[in-house]
Amino acid sequence: MAHPISAFQAAYISIEVLIALVSVPGNILVIWAVKMNQALRDATFCFIVSLAVADVAVGALVIPLAIIINIGPQTEFYTCLMVACPVLILTESSILALLAIAVDRYLRVKIPVRYKSMVTPRRAAVAIACCWIVSFLVGLTPMFGWNNLNKMRRTQELNSSHTEFVITCQFETVISMEYMVYFNFFVWVLPPLLLMLFIYLEVFNLIRKQLNKKVSSSSNDPQKYYGKELKIAKSLALVLFLFALSWLPLHVLNCITLFCPSCQTPHILTYIAIFLTHGNSAMNPIVYAFRIKKFRTAFLQIWNQYFCCKTNKNATSTTMAEAGN
């Protein structure tokens, strides 16, 4: 029989639902903008779409599953494990999409002349597919055996021949902290974040050198080309910074749980860390709207054309022309 929801749980659910209501429409708007605007069709924006898809799934899938886990229903072990794994898949997908974006920006400033011949739509699609395949492999690793099933069997003193037993579904009940820290964090989260930090530092260094030396590039106006690259790189670096700021606290708490079992972490800190991870999915569209002109223009066009009933074709054409500049 289900336990009644406490006032604290009701507040938690309300905040989660609010995050989902911001995240899902915002990221759908990002995908919509790229689909309808030819000026947003290069590799960088394809990787941004991949990131937006993961963020939509966080709002539409992960947050509802997180609410279920918070309530703590009685389920079979692997059912609970299936509820816990999607967040691992989508986190890794976001990290790899951010890494692909960073590499793409590096190539744009390192080899501007050869960039279009090297970073083709087909190669970008292959890179995105590889990111998602790796994400599923990393996120589903607990389903392959790296989980707490044996530990729970020993705890509950059940016969090892039993394949099913009912548990209270909680994330830490089924997901191994060794997996979360040693494999997920130390291998698939922290190294990519450090690599992206190095890449963006190199990108800013290359752009500033080019702006100072005024070297020739594929553009007729090097100052304009590299100035635009610097602005976009700053915006995408901000996206990376917000991602790290949102996810590192939860991973730090996981490390404390693993390395200091006797340490008592206040539940409020855990909830704040969870809100940060989910809230990150709602941040990116806001960054794009305020920092990247092409997105801002596309968002305004969608709003005017589909929500304000402004279907004047001349106005639409003007807006699209501005987005391409």
Side-chain angles (χ1 to χ4, degrees), residues 21-168:
L21 290 176
V22 175
S23 176
V24 173
N27 285 286
I28 288 176
L29 190 61
V30 170
I31 299 168
W32 192 355
V34 174
K35 184 179 184 301
M36 70 179 295
N37 195 335
Q38 290 290 340
L40 297 173
R41 294 290 179 85
D42 65 18
T44 299
F45 297 106
C46 291
F47 296 132
I48 287 176
V49 166
S50 179
L51 180 60
V53 169
D55 288 338
V56 168
V58 168
L61 178 63
V62 169
I63 288 179
L65 294 179
I67 291 172
I68 292 173
I69 287 180
N70 181 261
I71 295 172
Q74 299 293 307
T75 67
E76 193 269 331
F77 183 88
Y78 277 98
T79 301
C80 184
L81 199 58
M82 289 177 64
V83 171
C85 282
V87 67
L88 304 174
I89 296 170
L90 296 172
T91 302
E92 190 56 39
S93 173
S94 297
I95 291 171
L96 294 179
L98 289 169
L99 179 58
I101 290 169
V103 172
D104 177 72
R105 303 321 296 184
Y106 175 77
L107 293 176
R108 286 184 70 94
V109 299
K110 182 68 174 179
I111 50 169
V113 176
R114 292 182 291 135
Y115 171 79
K116 288 189 177 180
S117 63
M118 288 190 62
V119 185
T120 62
R122 179 183 292 272
R123 289 176 179 173
V126 170
I128 291 171
C130 289
C131 288
W132 279 98
I133 290 171
V134 171
S135 300
F136 272 92
L137 292 175
V138 172
L140 292 177
T141 296
M143 294 293 296
F144 303 146
W146 197 345
N147 55 54
N148 286 336
L149 179 59
N150 291 332
K151 182 188 295 186
M152 292 206 63
R153 279 176 170 162
R154 289 194 299 269
T155 301
Q156 299 190 17
E157 297 180 349
L158 293 178
N159 190 307
S160 61
S161 64
H162 292 176
T163 57
E164 294 185 4
F165 58 93
V166 175
I167 63 169
T168 300

Side-chain angles (χ1 to χ4, degrees), residues 250-309:
L250 185 60
H251 284 289
V252 169
L253 291 178
N254 288 338
C255 291
I256 293 172
T257 300
L258 178 63
F259 298 129
C260 184
S262 61
C263 298
Q264 296 295 322
T265 304
H267 287 298
I268 189 64
L269 290 182
T270 302
Y271 279 106
I272 290 173
I274 291 172
F275 289 144
L276 282 173
T277 61
H278 295 166
N280 179 252
S281 299
M283 296 176 189
N284 293 342
I286 298 171
V287 173
Y288 303 150
F290 282 96
R291 301 278 306 182
I292 300 179
K293 183 179 178 182
K294 289 181 180 179
F295 267 118
R296 184 166 62 251
T297 305
F299 291 163
L300 288 173
Q301 182 207 346
I302 292 171
W303 176 259
N304 291 334
Q305 185 171 346
Y306 295 96
F307 297 98
C308 290
C309 300

